[in-house]
Amino acid sequence: MPDPQPIWQVMTGYQHSAAFKTAIELELFTKIAEGNKTVVDIAKACGASEKGIRVLADVFTVHGFLSKHGGEYALSEMTAAFLNKNSATYLGSAVDFIMAEGQTRGYDDLTNAVRNGGSQIKGEASMDPDSPMWVTFARAMMPMMYPAAMGIANSLTYDKDQKLKVLDIAAGHGLFGITIAQAYPNAEIYAVDWANVLTVAAENANRMGVGDRHHLIPGSAFDVEFGDDYDLVLVTNFLHHFDAETCTGFMQKVCKAIKPGGKAITLEFIPNDDRVSPPGEALFALVMLAATPGGDAYTFAELKKMCEDAGFGENVHVPMPPMPQHMVVSTKLS
Amino acid sequence: MPDPQPIWQVMTGYQHSAAFKTAIELELFTKIAEGNKTVVDIAKACGASEKGIRVLADVFTVHGFLSKHGGEYALSEMTAAFLNKNSATYLGSAVDFIMAEGQTRGYDDLTNAVRNGGSQIKGEASMDPDSPMWVTFARAMMPMMYPAAMGIANSLTYDKDQKLKVLDIAAGHGLFGITIAQAYPNAEIYAVDWANVLTVAAENANRMGVGDRHHLIPGSAFDVEFGDDYDLVLVTNFLHHFDAETCTGFMQKVCKAIKPGGKAITLEFIPNDDRVSPPGEALFALVMLAATPGGDAYTFAELKKMCEDAGFGENVHVPMPPMPQHMVVSTKLS
């Protein structure tokens, strides 16, 4: 008989998501990083029971997030880098978005989403105006987006002092535009998002020293006036929320705002044509099925067609391994 | 930098548990087993959208439950054995218990359980009298328990025609006792469980042809009179719900009901002394932390002490690989 363990692992995955959320809430990994090694010491530092901490720490030892020798726990290299609150690359805040009710409720209704071809969740959902979900996203997910933002900024080949007009669509935390403003001192960033979300982007722009070159365009990206003559438009983690026709129409609006020779950089989870590889990219289709009426993880062929139909003359696929997010760099030729 | 993918996988585990539940509800794997190979055909057979089925089937291709070639999906050997509703070894019904609200709500309150050293959930919870949770368990989990029940029955070395008096504690689906009744035609089984649960055990005993030798003792296993002079007492998946002191007291009651030379067989998830291996056994401690006030996955040393303190003279640890459940065979020497 084959081994049914993989079935058990998928079925009980929710238990380990919950354990992770609890570990972040109680700062389990941070307290171990601070030198607490035994169940007794960690429990005291976390303000929790010894029994509970023993079970939780053992679970994350099984997962390889911790090691355990002679009753003392230690962080793995990965855990030290990403799950210690005092690490510059701490990612634990992502649970505030990934495991918020705004996200999880889509999975409670997943059978209906599969029946209907998309989520029918309404009210403070991803597609609703001024949804507080995107404020949570902007605050919780910024650390997770930092590598992609750096990747985009580093991929640009403008002259250091060049004047640049950059449109940052669905700016969220603002990091994609801010990173470019930091790299190019004469870049002016125009950030589009819901007004409530833009308060987060503006905060970050000020904190990161580029507030005077960071301008806000509040409202729906489909409705607001972008202005024109942009050198660069960033369309990051946006298209996957919409069906292909909507994406094509939107990219037409983007193309019109760009000056000849200017570019759009689209950031997306782009699976291969088989749609089942690489894993991270392929699995993202589920996230969109659960969260949106018509969104998807689009292949490069699909994104290329949208961009061509929208008026872009050249579209180049740029993976950014090991990240599951890829760039499509589209040029408005004439 | 280390790869943060394992963090992402744990954090998003709940999404894949939900996808599994949906796949079982829509009979995705069964419909593929019935010859539907393309998204169009599977969607029609499942009564679902093509988009939804494509995403769902791709997710389970990434997990290795399916393969996908030229747009046609096929079941893996594991999936064919365990997730096709028409397979004799179908395990899909387990989601009815593992992902029922009675189980999942413990994880919604997990941070408090870690703080307090156990779950404080009340009302139709695992510890409550006549909890409907155990009726669901009895119906949903029987297929998953079949290998362990066969393992126990096959481990017995009684003469075929021997008269046997067997007590089946927390009988649930009744399978552990029923399997022994099938193997030993002169065995009389006394099944203890809540009255509502015993209706399921009785149904199964009748269906499996041993109803006339299957007797019911309804009520709490802590309170009811077991009777005495038992050859064998089955304590399957029971002790892990309680703290060690309660287990010891309970095993005392069990020992009294056994005749000299008789045995108790305890079935448990038994981790090694390090409590972090093997994975399946070790992770079960989390399930008990989320579901019970004082339960645990006990090591053999702990179980042995309970049984010795309760009066058993010999206690032998019998793993049953590849299952995560192990036997402890305890003998009442005098």
Side-chain angles (χ1 to χ4, degrees):
Chain A
M1 284 295 268
D3 182 358
Q5 278 297 320
I7 295 170
W8 191 252
Q9 277 161 21
V10 168
M11 214 178 338
T12 58
Y14 76 89
Q15 302 173 355
H16 300 278
S17 301
F20 183 76
K21 190 179 178 203
T22 289
I24 293 298
E25 283 174 3
L26 296 176
E27 302 188 0
L28 174 74
F29 307 114
T30 304
K31 296 305 178 188
I32 296 174
E34 289 172 357
N36 302 288
K37 292 174 183 172
T38 64
V39 164
V40 172
D41 288 348
I42 302 167
K44 207 173 293 172
C46 291
S49 69
E50 293 176 16
K51 162 83 174 284
I53 289 296
R54 186 262 290 167
V55 173
L56 197 63
D58 283 348
V59 163
F60 286 101
T61 305
V62 173
H63 284 302
F65 288 30
L66 299 173
S67 61
K68 182 185 186 183
H69 296 289
E72 297 196 342
Y73 298 92
L75 305 184
S76 76
E77 200 188 347
M78 177 195 79
T79 306
F82 300 122
L83 300 178
N84 169 12
K85 212 168 179 173
N86 302 314
S87 160
T89 51
Y90 179 65
L91 300 180
S93 62
V95 294
D96 295 341
F97 178 71
I98 299 293
M99 297 198 62
E101 207 218 322
Q103 290 294 301
T104 60
R105 64 185 176 152
Y107 297 89
D108 294 338
D109 197 46
L110 188 63
T111 301
N112 279 327
V114 172
R115 285 206 181 99
N116 299 314
S119 167
Q120 299 182 306
I121 282 176
K122 297 271 179 232
E124 306 192 353
S126 55
M127 296 294 102
D128 291 332
D130 299 300
S131 174
M133 177 189 292
W134 296 119
V135 179
T136 305
F137 176 90
R139 295 202 187 280
M141 297 297 280
M142 186 166 85
M144 218 135 195
M145 292 301 128
Y146 197 73
M150 288 301 292
I152 291 176
N154 290 337
S155 78
L156 302 177
T157 54
Y158 301 112
D159 290 337
K160 183 78 181 166
D161 296 325
Q162 194 169 329
K163 283 191 70 168
L164 290 173
K165 190 177 175 188
V166 179
L167 183 64
D168 185 3
I169 306 273
H173 36 70
L175 200 61
F176 292 103
I178 291 167
T179 311
I180 291 172
Q182 290 181 314
Y184 294 95
N186 293 318
E188 300 284 330
I189 313 297
Y190 296 82
V192 177
D193 212 318
W194 302 109
N196 55 352
V197 184
L198 284 181
T199 62
V200 183
E203 262 174 42
N204 288 331
N206 286 327
R207 193 169 49 79
M208 295 169 82
V210 299
D212 56 326
R213 290 180 287 125
H214 194 265
H215 316 283
L216 308 180
I217 307 179
S220 161
F222 290 95
D223 299 335
V224 296
E225 291 289 334
F226 291 155
D228 56 12
D229 224 28
Y230 285 97
D231 296 278
L232 177 63
V233 179
L234 306 172
V235 189
T236 56
N237 293 323
F238 184 73
L239 296 182
H240 53 239
H241 296 93
F242 309 101
D243 64 35
E245 192 186 340
T246 305
C247 291
T248 303
F250 184 76
M251 290 306 287
Q252 244 161 2
K253 179 177 177 181
V254 166
C255 195
K256 276 191 197 126
I258 296 176
K259 68 180 178 193
K263 288 180 196 302
I265 293 184
T266 304
L267 187 74
E268 282 295 328
F269 294 83
I270 305 181
N272 295 328
D273 288 338
D274 64 11
R275 288 192 185 280
V276 293
S277 66
E281 288 83 331
L283 293 176
F284 190 73
L286 177 65
V287 180
M288 288 300 103
L289 182 71
T292 68
D296 210 339
Y298 292 109
T299 64
F300 176 62
E302 290 171 327
L303 291 166
K304 185 164 180 264
K305 181 163 191 327
M306 293 171 197
C307 292
E308 284 174 351
D309 290 353
F312 289 96
E314 189 186 279
N315 299 284
V316 180
H317 180 190
V318 185
M320 303 162 84
M323 282 176 282
Q325 294 179 304
H326 306 209
M327 285 190 273
V328 176
V329 182
S330 303
T331 308
K332 180 176 179 175
L333 291 183
S334 58
Chain B
M1 283 298 266
D3 182 358
Q5 277 297 320
I7 295 171
W8 191 252
Q9 277 162 20
V10 168
M11 213 178 341
T12 58
Y14 76 89
Q15 302 173 355
H16 299 279
S17 300
F20 183 76
K21 190 179 178 203
T22 289
I24 294 298
E25 282 176 3
L26 295 176
E27 302 187 359
L28 174 75
F29 307 114
T30 304
K31 296 306 178 189
I32 295 173
E34 288 173 357
N36 302 288
K37 294 174 182 171
T38 64
V39 164
V40 173
D41 289 348
I42 302 166
K44 208 173 292 170
C46 291
S49 69
E50 293 176 14
K51 162 84 174 285
I53 289 296
R54 186 262 289 167
V55 172
L56 197 62
D58 283 348
V59 163
F60 286 101
T61 305
V62 173
H63 284 302
F65 289 30
L66 299 174
S67 61
K68 181 185 186 184
H69 297 289
E72 297 196 343
Y73 298 92
L75 306 184
S76 77
E77 202 189 344
M78 177 195 78
T79 307
F82 299 122
L83 300 179
N84 169 13
K85 211 169 180 172
N86 302 314
S87 161
T89 51
Y90 179 65
L91 299 181
S93 62
V95 295
D96 295 341
F97 178 72
I98 299 294
M99 297 197 63
E101 207 218 323
Q103 290 294 303
T104 58
R105 64 185 176 152
Y107 298 89
D108 294 339
D109 197 45
L110 188 62
T111 301
N112 279 326
V114 172
R115 284 205 181 99
N116 299 314
S119 167
Q120 299 182 306
I121 282 176
K122 298 271 179 232
E124 307 193 353
S126 55
M127 296 295 101
D128 291 333
D130 299 299
S131 173
M133 177 191 291
W134 296 118
V135 179
T136 305
F137 177 88
R139 295 201 187 280
M141 295 298 279
M142 186 165 85
M144 220 135 194
M145 292 301 128
Y146 197 72
M150 289 300 292
I152 291 177
N154 290 336
S155 78
L156 302 177
T157 55
Y158 301 112
D159 290 337
K160 183 78 182 167
D161 296 326
Q162 195 169 328
K163 282 193 71 167
L164 291 173
K165 190 177 174 188
V166 178
L167 183 64
D168 185 3
I169 306 272
H173 37 69
L175 199 62
F176 291 103
I178 291 168
T179 310
I180 291 172
Q182 289 182 317
Y184 294 94
N186 293 318
E188 300 284 328
I189 313 296
Y190 295 81
V192 177
D193 213 318
W194 302 111
N196 56 352
V197 183
L198 283 180
T199 62
V200 183
E203 262 174 42
N204 288 331
N206 287 327
R207 194 169 48 78
M208 295 170 82
V210 300
D212 56 328
R213 291 181 286 122
H214 194 266
H215 315 285
L216 308 181
I217 306 179
S220 161
F222 290 95
D223 299 334
V224 296
E225 291 288 334
F226 290 156
D228 55 13
D229 224 30
Y230 285 98
D231 296 279
L232 178 63
V233 180
L234 306 172
V235 189
T236 55
N237 293 323
F238 184 71
L239 294 183
H240 53 239
H241 296 93
F242 309 102
D243 62 36
E245 191 186 340
T246 305
C247 291
T248 302
F250 184 76
M251 290 307 285
Q252 245 161 1
K253 179 177 177 181
V254 166
C255 195
K256 277 190 198 128
I258 296 177
K259 69 179 176 195
K263 288 180 197 300
I265 293 184
T266 304
L267 187 74
E268 281 296 328
F269 295 83
I270 305 182
N272 295 328
D273 287 340
D274 64 9
R275 288 193 186 279
V276 294
S277 66
E281 288 82 333
L283 292 176
F284 190 73
L286 177 66
V287 179
M288 287 302 101
L289 182 71
T292 68
D296 210 339
Y298 292 109
T299 64
F300 175 62
E302 290 170 327
L303 291 165
K304 184 165 180 264
K305 180 162 192 329
M306 292 171 199
C307 293
E308 284 174 353
D309 290 353
F312 289 96
E314 189 186 280
N315 299 283
V316 180
H317 180 190
V318 185
M320 305 162 83
M323 281 177 282
Q325 294 179 305
H326 306 211
M327 285 191 273
V328 175
V329 182
S330 303
T331 307
K332 180 176 180 175
L333 290 183
S334 59

